[in-house]
Every structure is written in structure tokens, then in C-alpha cells.
């Protein structure tokens, strides 16, 4: 059999390769470095690897290539989103690496120990957290980088699994409330596999469609170029195409947490260790939308008239569900989870606009939201009492009195979520809605604005609670953050402010990057 | 359009005109931000900054004189650029702006100097100078802006400074109330100005002076009238003209230097500046000019009548300010050559009114802050300098020859008689009558304060003359009151011609000489009458009086009118709206909120925590999505 190896542009793949390499080194560190020194080694290794990946992304800035036999496309959106993922992952890694807020960090030392056993109590008391989280995080990040670059459905699927599996594990590693954490991991795993099955089945149907479209003998394919040609030119039965596209989108919509595929989100966000929740809310969202954007813009743009109404309805439903359910939440992490669902709806509005504007505004939104949400979860890690984080909202009453600085920062972040001007939340919503209006999708914008109004209520409720309620006996104090959390928090808040006041540079960057290679 | 407006670019020395605004602004920032650390030297910084810009202003003035085209523009940066709206942060230095700069910085410097002495015992002196510098910066921005938005920024800036300074002694309820009153009544006028600017942008697409003046001729007459009336509303608010005059007398609650600088010499003349600056608009529509003239004539008479019945030295002066600005409005309303006359009167008024206010401050300084003229008397002996300088101001304001008021007020009266139709008699008569009344009430003030028997309160033994730092500005301003009018009348008029233009000139209905004789005669009559009535002092408490005096004491019932026509219905409207808001709008909003909350509570129950129900939900969703895709697709085919 004549097997020809495809050409591989290693430079273009460098960001992914650096991170894969670093994760493997991380595994070796686990094996060979003494336990005491692992934490620091892993943290430095992780940050170095992310820096290296960022440098590689910057060096590749002008690349517009399809490589690895058509499996990977390195183009403007890829590089922009890879850069975004790497930067946000860096922030998340700082939160993950924080050990001064809580003894031993946010992660359990031995995840396999039975919850509540004497051994568990001992490890909760004095053992440093598992350092496996670092290689796992790096694996997830490299999977995400591949996911946004994937140029065929198979590669995309591999990347999806590559970043999902570490996430399932990471969710189970909380030091406190371990049962909740393990439950969330299991739920995430089960439902994630379930959604993956939809994705796979969709891929099979689309393959079937391309085979039919190409006529007998020419064979089909799952790379986006082939699908694109088939969608535009084919006279074959489109039932296969649309059933396939529907199932594919379900796989992706699950990851971006669009209704009604969002059901896992609140439980998982609540149960997972907070740094991991932040990581998922920021990076997973970027990656999942990156994949969705490429699928819609590159492979199926010829069918946009057919999928826009359906996906638009999903966007509206997502915004509504996120906004309405956020109203009655009593746990800050669940509140942020529903807010993340609603934001997925807003992002979907942008993703459905198949123009340059739609693409660039969605990418801008992803970055802006990522910074804000990571900073918000950063604050959540700080508000704690003897039992760990105090996430019940009633415990946040009067926080403004106890610690005006962090309550002030959190208020600012909530205002950004609510889309108040001078924050990135305003500019990004403005960009996305503007693009949607230009594309004639005013119904999506109307739904977006109405749900933003609803959504402002839960945010402002927290603000009112923090500032206007008397601090009760049970109001926890805010721990002084260690340097890492403080840095992450600072980056997030400053980015939220800067992108709100002077968004032009990043918007220009997104605009310059907003073209897929096809 | 008679002539198109063009501005040259500022070069050379004039390129640094922005320093005029920047220096006092920086000084204000230093004074207000450094806090107590600047207490010891802060007031000198305040004085020095204004002194510096006075010198700068003079040098700019002389370099402007050397130019061919005496209107130079300096565009600093793009202030606002949104859609079609482009507003420069730009300055315009032309003859009109130049005389205002000299007035503001010159008189401002003297008053700053005076305030060092006047405020020496006040703990808040540094803050006072910070606000004072802020005012100067804003006022200069107002007269230097090269477009209406810049003017508006300065306009709001002086409004803010005025508010802060009126309520400077904010622990006195009366001062706090007066500050609020001034602020609120100014908002009415400011809203008019803002809407005028919006209309300019909507119809002309620009707010630059050059574009507006060149384009105004092509506008529909209704639009011009609307812009003009709204500008007039703004001007009336800032300048205390009918119907927005009520705040100005109350503004005397502020420290006396504030009354002198802001509420006599400079800020309250901003309305006159606005109309003079907008002369290409006002000249387009005779109706508009008639309205301006009417406002001026009405206000000048009102001011005189009310001023004659007041017993508070600063309030009498305040009403005389209202009345004198009425003359200026009369002048700018007459149009043509009278624009320049109004500006000249404004300059002369700046000197003699500042002089008299500072004199009043000096009297109060010596009399333990007594303001009631019924409790003065015989002060001429004790406060010689104050007496003489105040006397010069008094002679100037009543228009006695050869003091400055004569040279500046009398031409306005002549112009009023030259309107060319029957209204000449109306407005000319009003102006003439005003001159007589002015002589009456100002003489009353002068005599009751400085002459006649002593009617002091018991705690005063020896009133003392004020220190040198207060009397030197008095002397300089006193000199100004004597010579300013005569010196300025002719050269300033020709200096201003490039900005304000020539108008057609009618012959007055009475001969020039007759008018002069009449006005001097009325002045002497009024002054003599007052002298006779009040040379022996007056009762110490308010006496019963006839209907005219009662009305004048109550500000001609304008406050009662405001209360009945605006305040009561306003309060009623507010209550009605609150009711509507509570019952109607809030009800609707609350119902919606309840619906959302209820929906949320119900939907929450779907989030059971069981993976099986989550999977079910995903499956249902998947079936629906696939079905929807296919439905769209089949519908498309069918």
C-alpha cells in the first residue's frame, strides 16, 4: 500500500506542540521530582510553556496555512483564539497555583481516598494538593489550541476529547466538598460522552452526504473544504446534510453550554474547584466557540439560510434560560454559571452572523468575557470562612463593609457582566449586537437586549447585598490573596476596564484576524 | 449674507493663547488637590496665576493689534468626534474675545488681590481661591471657545463655580439655598442654550462659529427665530434677565469678592457676550431683536424699581446689576452699531460695579458684616478711601458727566430713540426713565451709607478703614470708574467693528442734544430727590408704604409669580407623576418582575440534579433541533 506522509509545517503547529511537550514533561516531573518541589516546578513549567506557546503564536502571526494534510488550519481566527486561550489559561494557572489562600491549595492531595475517612481528614489538614493538575491543565489547553485549528471533523473530535477528558478529571479534584466535586465530574463525564456521541453520529451523516454529493467513485470526506464544496454544489439529498449538521451542532452546543444542552453547567460549575470553573468558563468557551465558528463559517456557510433560524432560536432560548434562571440563584457559583449560559447566547448571536464583523466581534467578546469571568471566579476563591469558600449569596451580605476593595472589584466585574458602559461588557455586547443588526438579525438583538435587562437584576442584587445590607455574624471575611491570585485578579480587572475604555486596539486586531483560510 | 466670517490660523505668540485657560486651571487643581498643605501660600498662587494671565492677555492683545485679519483661531485637538458631529477643542482670539480677556483678567486680578485681605480670617481661604481660579479658567474658556460647544463647556464651568462660591459658606442655610436657586434657574437657561446648539447641529451640521454664522443666512426664518430665542433664554438665565432674574440678588449670599467678580463684573455679562457673539444670527430677524430689546427694557425698569425699595447694600447693588445688564441687552437688541455700545457699557460697568461691590465689602468689613443700609450712616468720616472710591462708582453708574457711565449709557439711550418707528418712543422712554430711577436709588444707597446721622448697632464703636491690600484695588477700580468710559468709547467701538459690523443708522426721533439734556436732567432730578429725602437718614425698621413700594419690596411679585406659575404646578405635576410611577409603571414593572421570578422558580425545578433527567433534556433538545432543521429544510423545498 502506498502510504504518503503529509507535509507538516512544524512552525505553524509550534504552540500546540510546545504545550503537548510541556504536559508530557509535567508527567515526568510527577514521576521523578520529589513531592516537595513538584508544586513550584510544575507551576513554573506550566507558565513557561504557556509563555512559549504565546511567543510561538505571536511569531506565527502572519501565517495563513493549511497543514498536516489538511487537518489543521493556522489562520487569523486560529491564531487570535489560540493567543486568547493561552493568555486566559495563564491567568487560570495562576489561580490554580495559588496556595497561600488555603493551605495546600484548592486541590485534594489524593483523589482516590474515600471521602470522610480518617485518611481523608488527614490529607485535608496537612497535605499539599495534587500536582497532577498542572499537566492535566496543559493537556486541556493544548487540546483547545488544536480544537480551534482543526480543519476536519475527525481532528476536531480528537481535539474535543483531548481537552474534555482532562477537564472531567480536574473537576473531581476539589479539596473541600469532595462529594459535590466528584459528583460534578461524573455528571460532566457522562453527559460529555453523551454529547460526543451526537457529534460522532453527526460526523458520520455528513460524511455520508459528501459521499453522495461527490457522485460514486470520488469518495467523500470530513474535511471542511470537501463539506463546503458539497454543500454549495450538491444536488444530493440534503436530509443527510441537515440531520448531520444538527447532530454536530449539538455536540458543540453542549460544550458552549447553550440551552437546552446547558443542563450540566450549573452543577459542574458549582462542584468543580473554583479555579477550574474559571478555567472552563473562560478557555473552554473560547475553544468551543472557535470550533463552532469554523464549522459554521468554513464548512456550512453555504447553508446559512437554513441553519440561522434554528440556531437563532437556540440562541434566544439560551439567553432566556440563562437570564431567567439566574434570577433565583442563591449560590454565587451557580449564578455565574447561569450568567455564562446567557453569555453563550449572546456569543451565539455573533457566531450566527457569517460576516467579517460577526467573526471579529464574537472573537472580541470571547476575550473580553474570558478576562472578566476569570477575575470574578478569582474573587470567589477569596471570600471564605473556616469551611472553605462561602458561596451562598446570603453570606455575601455586607461584604462591602468588611472588605471594600474586593467588594468594589467584584461590583465592577458584575457591572461589566451587566454590560454597563466603560466596561468591556458594554463594548463587546455593542460589537456583537451591532454586527447582528447590520446582518439584519434584529430579532436576535431585541432578545439580547431584553434578556440583558433581566440579567442585570441578579447582578445588581449581589451588588445591593454586598453594599447595602448590614454584615451579619456569618459574613465571611475576604482572605488576603497571594501574589498569584492578586496578579490574575489585577489582569482581569484591568483588561475589563481597558477593553471598555479603549477597545480599539483589540478590535482592530480581531478585525485583522477575522478571515478563515478555506 | 453681508460678509462671510473667516478666521486665520493663530501663529507666533498667539499660538499659546491656550495658556490663558490652562494657567488658572492648573492653579485651581493645585489649590484644590493639595488640600491643607497649600493653606499658607495658596492664596498667593491664586493671585499670581491671574496676574500672569493678565500680563499674557495684554501681550496677546498687542500682537493681535499688529495683525491684518484680527480674528485668529487655534485648533488644539478633536474634542468630540461621533458620527457626523465633530467638535474641535479650539480657541478663537478676536477683538471681542480680547476685550473680554482683558476685563476678566484685569478686574479679576484686582478682585483676587482684594480677596486676600477680605478672606484673611476665613479658614477656607485656599478653597475659595481654588474655586475663584476655576471660575476664571471657565470664564476664559467661555469667551475664547471657537464653537458653541466649547462656549457651553465654559458656560457650565462658570455656572458650577458660581454655585460653589454662592454656597461657599454652606453651613448657612440661606447660602446653601441661594446656591441651589441660582443653579436651578440657570439650568432653565442652560437647557435653552443646549437645545439651540442641538438645532444648529441638526440644521447646519456644525457648531463652529464660522460655519454657523456663514450658514445661518440660508436657514428658514422659523429655525433662526427658534435658535435665537433659545440662545436668548440661555443668555437671560446667565445674566439674570427677565424672566430668570430672581436668582441674582440671592446670589449675594456668597463672599463679597464673589459678588464683585462673578455676579457683577464678568459671569453675569456672559449673556451679553453670547448675543454679541451670535450677532450674525440675531441680525437676521427683526422680531428676534425686538424680543431682546423688550427683555432689556423691561428688566432695566424692574431692576431700578426693586432696587429703590431694598435695604440690603449688596442686594441694591445686585438689582442695579440686573438693571445695568438690562441696558446692555437693550444695546445688543438694537443691533448694528449698538452692539459695540453694549460691550463698552459692559466694560465700564465691570469697573464701576466691581468697585462698588468691593466698596460695599469694605464697609461690611468695617461694620462687622452689617449689610442693612438703615444701620449705616455717617461713614464718610471713618472710611475716607472707601467713601471716595464708592462715590466715584456712584457718579459713574448714574451717568454723570464726565464719569464713565455717561459716555457708555447715554449712547445706548440715544440708539434706543433711533429705532426708526414708534417703538423708539417706547424703548427710548424706558431707557431715559431708567436713568432717572438709577440716579434715585443709587443716591439713596450712597447717602444712607456714607452721610447723614449714625444709625449703627450698639456694638460698633469705631468703624475702621480696610487694610491696604483691599484699598489699593479700590483705588485702581475707582480710577477706572472715572476714566474708563471716556477713554474707551471711541477706540473700542472701532476695535470691535470687524466682529460686530456696522449697522444702518437711523436718526433719533429727538435730537441728540435734547436727549443728552433730558437724561442729565433726569439724573440730577433723581439724585437730588434722593438726597433731599434721605440726607437725614431713614427709619430703622420697614415702614408701611403704598402699593408700588410694597410691590417693589416683594420683587414686584415675581417670586410669587414663579411660585404660583412654576413651583405649585411643578409640585403638583411631580406628585401626579410619582403617583403614576408608583401605581402604573411600577405596577407593570413589578408584575413583569414577578412573572420572571415565578418563571425562574418554576424552571429551577427542572434542574433536578439527576443525570438521567439531564440526558433526557439533551435528548429532547436534540430531537427538536434535528426536527427543526429538517422542517426548515423541507419547508424550503416545498
Amino acid at each position: 500500500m502506498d502510504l504518503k506522509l503529509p507535509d507538516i509545517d512544524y512552525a505553524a503547529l509550534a504552540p500546540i506542540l510546545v504545550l503537548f511537550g510541556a504536559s508530557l514533561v509535567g508527567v515526568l516531573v510527577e514521576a521523578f521530582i520529589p513531592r516537595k518541589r513538584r508544586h513550584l516546578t510544575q507551576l513554573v513549567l506550566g507558565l513557561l510553556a504557556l509563555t512559549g506557546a504565546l511567543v510561538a503564536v505571536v511569531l506565527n502571526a502572519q501565517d495563513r496555512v493549511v497543514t498536516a494534510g489538511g487537518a489543521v488550519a493556522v489562520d487569523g481566527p486560529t491564531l487570535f483564539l489560540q493567543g486568547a486561550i493561552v493568555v486566559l489559561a495563564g491567568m487560570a494557572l495562576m489561580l490554580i497555583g495559588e496556595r497561600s489562600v488555603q493551605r495546600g491549595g484548592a486541590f485534594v492531595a489524593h483523589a482516590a481516598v474515600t471521602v470522610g475517612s480518617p485518611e481523608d481528614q488527614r490529607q485535608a489538614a496537612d497535605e499539599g494538593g495534587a500536582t497532577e493538575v498542572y499537566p492535566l491543565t496543559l493537556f486541556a489547553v493544548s487540546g483547545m489550541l488544536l480544537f480551534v485549528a482543526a480543519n476536519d471533523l475527525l481532528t476536531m473530535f480528537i481535539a474535543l476529547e483531548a481537552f474534555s477528558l482532562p477537564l472531567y478529571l480536574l473537576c473531581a479534584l476539589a479539596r473541600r466538598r469532595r462529594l459535590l466535586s466528584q459528583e460534578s465530574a461524573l455528571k460532566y463525564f457522562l453527559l460529555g460522552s453523551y454529547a460526543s456521541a451526537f457529534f460522532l453520529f453527526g460526523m458520520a451523516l455528513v460524511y455520508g452526504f459528501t459521499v453522495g454529493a461527490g457522485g460514486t467513485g470520488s469518495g467523500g470526506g470530513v474535511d471542511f473544504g470537501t463539506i463546503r464544496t458539497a454543500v454549495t454544489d450538491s444536488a444530493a439529498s440534503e436530509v443527510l446534510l441537515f440531520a448531520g449538521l444538527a447532530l454536530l451542532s449539538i455536540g458543540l452546543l453542549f460544550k458552549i453550554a447553550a440551552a437546552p444542552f446547558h443542563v450540566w453547567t450549573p452543577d459542574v460549575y458549582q462542584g468543580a474547584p473554583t479555579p477550574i470553573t474559571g478555567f472552563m468558563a473562560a478557555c473552554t468557551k473560547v475553544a468551543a466557540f472557535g470550533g463552532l465558528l469554523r464549522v459554521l463559517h468554513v464548512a456550512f456557510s453555504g447553508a446559512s439560510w437554513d441553519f440561522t433560524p434554528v440556531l437563532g432560536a437556540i440562541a434566544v432560548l439560551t439567553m432566556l434560560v440563562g437570564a431567567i434562571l439566574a434570577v433565583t440563584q442563591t449560590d454565587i457559583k451557580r449564578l455565574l454559571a447561569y450568567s455564562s449560559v446567557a453569555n453563550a447566547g449572546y456569543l451565539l448571536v455573533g457566531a450566527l452572523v457569517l460576516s467579517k464583523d460577526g467573526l471579529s466581534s464574537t472573537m472580541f467578546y470571547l476575550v473580553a468575557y474570558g478576562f472578566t469571568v476569570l477575575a470574578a471566579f478569582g474573587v470567589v476563591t477569596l471570600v471564605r470562612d473556616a469551611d472553605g469558600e462561602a458561596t451562598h449569596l446570603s453570606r455575601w451580605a455586607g461584604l462591602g463593609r468588611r472588605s471594600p476593595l474586593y467588594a468594589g472589584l467584584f461590583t465592577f466585574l458584575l457591572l461589566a457582566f451587566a454590560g454597563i458602559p466603560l466596561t468591556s461588557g458594554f463594548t463587546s455586547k455593542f460589537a456583537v449586537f451591532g454586527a447582528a443588526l447590520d446582518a439584519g438579525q434584529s430579532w436576535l438583538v431585541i432578545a439580547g437586549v431584553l434578556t440583558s435587562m433581566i440579567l442585570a437584576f441578579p447582578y445588581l442584587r449581589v451588588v445591593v447585598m454586598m453594599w447595602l445590607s448590614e454584615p451579619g455574624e456569618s459574613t465571611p471575611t475576604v482572605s488576603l490573596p497571594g501574589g498569584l491570585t492578586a496578579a490574575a485578579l489585577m489582569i482581569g480587572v484591568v483588561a475589563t476596564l481597558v477593553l471598555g475604555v479603549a477597545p480599539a486596539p483589540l478590535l482592530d486586531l480581531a478585525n485583522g484576524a477575522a478571515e478563515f483560510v478555506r | 449674507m453681508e460678509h462671510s466670517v473667516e478666521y486665520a490660523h493663530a501663529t507666533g505668540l498667539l499660538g499659546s493663547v491656550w495658556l490663558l485657560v490652562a494657567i488658572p486651571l492648573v492653579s485651581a487643581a493645585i489649590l484644590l488637590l493639595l488640600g491643607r498643605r497649600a493653606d499658607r501660600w495658596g492664596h498667593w498662587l491664586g493671585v499670581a496665576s491671574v496676574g500672569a494671565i493678565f500680563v499674557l492677555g495684554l501681550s496677546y492683545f498687542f500682537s493681535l493689534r499688529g495683525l491684518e485679519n484680527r480674528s485668529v483661531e487655534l485648533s488644539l485637538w478633536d474634542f468630540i468626534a461621533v458620527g457626523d458631529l465633530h467638535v474641535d477643542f479650539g480657541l478663537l482670539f478676536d477683538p471681542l474675545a480680547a476685550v473680554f480677556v482683558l476685563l476678566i483678567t484685569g478686574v479679576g486680578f484686582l478682585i483676587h488681590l482684594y480677596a486676600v485681605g477680605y478672606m484673611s480670617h476665613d479658614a477656607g481661604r485656599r478653597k475659595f481661591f481654588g474655586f475663584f481660579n476655576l471660575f476664571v479658567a471657565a470664564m476664559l474658556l467661555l469667551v475664547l471657545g471657537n464653537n458653541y460647544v466649547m462656549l457651553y463647556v465654559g458656560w457650565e464651568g462658570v455656572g458650577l463655580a458660581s454655585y460653589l462660591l454662592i454656597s461657599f459658606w454652606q453651613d448657612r442655610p440661606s447660602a446653601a439655598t441661594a446656591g441651589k436657586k441660582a443653579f436651578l434657574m440657570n439650568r432653565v437657561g442652560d437647557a435653552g442654550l443646549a437645545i439651540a446648539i442641538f438645532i444648529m447641529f441638526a440644521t447646519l451640521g456644525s457648531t463652529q462659529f464660522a460655519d454657523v454664522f456663514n450658514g445661518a443666512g440660508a436657514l428658514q426664518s422659523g429655525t433662526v427665530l427658534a435658535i435665537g430665542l433659545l440662545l436668548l433664554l440661555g443668555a437671560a438665565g446667565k445674566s439674570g434677565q427677565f424672566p430668570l432674574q430672581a436668582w441674582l440678588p440671592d446670589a449675594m449670599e456668597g463672599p463679597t469678592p464673589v459678588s464683585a467678580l462673578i455676579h457683577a463684573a464678568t459671569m453675569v455679562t456672559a449673556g451679553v457676550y453670547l448675543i454679541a457673539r451670535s450677532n450674525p444670527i440675531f441680525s437676521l430677524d427683526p422680531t428676534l431683536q425686538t424680543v431682546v430689546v423688550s427683555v432689556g427694557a423691561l428688566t432695566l425698569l424692574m431692576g431700578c424699581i426693586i432696587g429703590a425699595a431694598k435695604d440690603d447694600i449688596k442686594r441694591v447693588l445686585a438689582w442695579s446689576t440686573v438693571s445695568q445688564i438690562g441696558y446692555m441687552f437693550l444695546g445688543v437688541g438694537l443691533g448694528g452699531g449698538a452692539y459695540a455700545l453694549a460691550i463698552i457699557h459692559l466694560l465700564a460697568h465691570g469697573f464701576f460695579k466691581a468697585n462698588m461691590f468691593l466698596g460695599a465689602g469694605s464697609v461690611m468689613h468695617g461694620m462687622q458684616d452689617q449689610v442693612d443700609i438703615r444701620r449705616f450712616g455717617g461713614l464718610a468720616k471713618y472710611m475716607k478711601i472707601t467713601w471716595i472710591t464708592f462715590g466715584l462708582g456712584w457718579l459713574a453708574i448714574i451717568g454723570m458727566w464726565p464719569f464713565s457711565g455717561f459716555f457708555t449709557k447715554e449712547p445706548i439711550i440715544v440708539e434706543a430713540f433711533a429705532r426708526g418707528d414708534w417703538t423708539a418712543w417706547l424703548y427710548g422712554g424706558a431707557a431715559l426713565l431708567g436713568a432717572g430711577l438709577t440716579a434715585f436709588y443709587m443716591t439713596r444707597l450712597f447717602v444712607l451709607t456714607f452721610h447723614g446721622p449714625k444709625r449703627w448697632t450698639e456694638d460698633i464703636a469705631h468703624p475702621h478703614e480696610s487694610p491696604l491690600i483691599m484699598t489699593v484695588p479700590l483705588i485702581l477700580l475707582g480710577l477706572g470708574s472715572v476714566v474708563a468710559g471716556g477713554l474707551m468709547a471711541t477706540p473700542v467701538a472701532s476695535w470691535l467693528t470687524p466682529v460686530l459690523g456696522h449697522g444702518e443708522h437711523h436718526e433719533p426721533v429727538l435730537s441728540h442734544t435734547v436727549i443728552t439734556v433730558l437724561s442729565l436732567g433726569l439724573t440730577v432730578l433723581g439724585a437730588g430727590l434722593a438726597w433731599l429725602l434721605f440726607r437725614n437718614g431713614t427709619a430703622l425698621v420697614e415702614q408701611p408704604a403704598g402699593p408700588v413700594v410694597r410691590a417693589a419690596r416683594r420683587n414686584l411679585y415675581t417670586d410669587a409669580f414663579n411660585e404660583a406659575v412654576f413651583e405649585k404646578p411643578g409640585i403638583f405635576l411631580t406628585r401626579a407623576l410619582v403617583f403614576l410611577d408608583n401605581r402604573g409603571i411600577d405596577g407593570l414593572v413589578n408584575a413583569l418582575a414577578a412573572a420572571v421570578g415565578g418563571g425562574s422558580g418554576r424552571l429551577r425545578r427542572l434542574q433536578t440534579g439527576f443525570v438521567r433527567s439531564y440526558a433526557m433534556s439533551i435528548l429532547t433538545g436534540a430531537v427538536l433541533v434535528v426536527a427543526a432543521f429538517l422542517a426548515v429544510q423541507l419547508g424550503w423545498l416545498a
Side-chain angles (χ1 to χ4, degrees), chain B residues 463-552:
Chain B
H464 59 85
E465 181 59 281
S466 302
L468 210 56
I469 195 155
M470 291 167 69
T471 48
V472 168
L474 276 180
I475 294 167
L476 292 175
L477 286 169
L479 282 177
S481 310
V482 180
V483 298
L487 285 184
M488 287 190 304
T490 327
V492 174
S494 57
W495 166 253
L496 289 172
T497 307
V499 184
L500 304 173
H502 293 287
E504 46 184 323
H505 190 75
H506 295 282
E507 274 311 300
V509 287
L510 291 171
S511 84
H512 205 158
T513 331
V514 173
I515 297 174
T516 308
V517 169
L518 268 179
S519 87
L520 273 178
L522 274 174
T523 302
V524 171
L525 189 69
L529 192 64
W531 196 287
L532 283 176
L533 275 175
F534 296 107
R535 74 192 150 153
N536 290 326
T538 184
L540 293 185
V541 290
E542 205 166 88
Q543 301 295 308
V548 178
V549 176
R550 277 210 308 272

Side-chain angles (χ1 to χ4, degrees), chain B residues 28 67 70 102 105 124 162 232 239 291 324 387 450 454 549 584:
Chain B
L67 291 182
R70 287 180 181 166
L102 290 182
T105 55
S162 154
L232 175 64
S239 290
V291 176
Q324 294 300 312
W387 171 55
F450 290 103
K454 298 172 190 171
V549 176

